[in-house]
Amino acid sequence: LHSCGIWRPKSLLEAARFTLSPNGRLRRKHRDSRALWKHEAVQKYLEALSKEYQQVNCLLNADSKNDFEQRTLRRRHADLSPAATAFQEIKEAERELQELEAMCRELDSRGEKQLLELGLEEKETLDKKISTLCRKLFQLLVPQEKYDKSHVILEVTAGRTTGGDICQQFTKEMFEMYQNYADYKCWTFDVLHYVPAEIGGLHHAAAHISGDDVYRHLKYEGGTHRVQRIPETGLSSRMQRIHTGTMSVIVLPQPEEVDIKVDPKDLRIDTFRAKGAGGQHVNKTDSAVRVVHLPTGLVVECQQERSQQINKELALRMLRAKLYQQVIEQQLSQEQSARKLQLGTRAQSERIRTYNFTQDRVTDHRISYDARNIKGILSGKEELDKLINRLLEFAETEALTEYLENLQSLEGGGC
């Protein structure tokens, strides 16, 4: 494209490859996409992108290039089109908003309250539209992570607490929440492993979730979740106080069959009788399978199916995902210096969220965000989706903010 006289600005990903110290002031200032949109550096970048899009469009219409150059221009046109279109939509919406604000000021000065109320309602609608368009634009600009479109294996494990079984009960509620969320997002949720507790809770469970962009939506759910509640049963009156418990969530991108090859010589496969409810089959059939990967010591179990062979295949799938996760963690640690999303280390020992039942509040500690209506969130539908999207927006905004920090340091001669 340089031979065609087109100047190409650096992509956000290219511009963010410098390792710099975080700029706290800038991060605090630009926590949402609407604020980032107004930043001078973003406007300059988008203006350059829009200019390139117009140049590419003109060259395509001229139809004076050879086939190779035409294909190159068409590919670049397709790459630029979504962002350039969103940019122009926002600019047009902002012009409409300015005209509407001027009209509202005039109506206010003339004392026409009814028309002013209508104008203010339309202004609020337009504001929301601009915010939505800004987020859509920055989703286009921030490159997706490598595994965002992957299916996942999700595991939940109860923690420990004193004076009750709230951890097991909470773990069961969380597992059902993700099952309901999968249904809400039209994903497929296949239970791989399920170990119930004696009084109706859950010790450990795992599921394979497949669908569109599953890992993108669930990748920040991994970590330690804390619950604060008064147990409903099982305690004497003097123990009826707030108890604190924890459970952990692990979210592993599901690899394709070709990604991880497991040597059968490295495996020890044991069979045993399944635990829990299930009738005569559970009591008399050694259908449950435990697979030990000898080089790493990783252990996985599966007992959900009546067929030992099917349980073995499911256990091997879980093992491949865990082995794949080790590779991913190495890559993520290398990339964190370039793209810090400020959403924690994903370590399981790090508390990421607190569910306070007595105050009907869910607090995500990574983004300092409080949400109400715990029952709505645990239902796994709109309220949970809203919280997860809040996390995603924060992550995308942080990625773009880091680009601005790098750009500021470049302009100041820091690099």
Side-chain angles (χ1 to χ4, degrees), residues 2-13:
H2 285 284
S3 63
C4 300
I6 298 175
W7 173 77
R8 290 185 60 185
K10 283 187 177 181
S11 72
L12 293 179
L13 185 60

Side-chain angles (χ1 to χ4, degrees), residues 67-80:
D67 289 343
F68 175 77
E69 290 176 335
Q70 282 287 317
R71 286 195 298 271
T72 303
L73 288 169
R74 281 195 293 270
R75 283 197 299 268
R76 185 58 181 163
H77 185 273
D79 291 340
L80 293 170

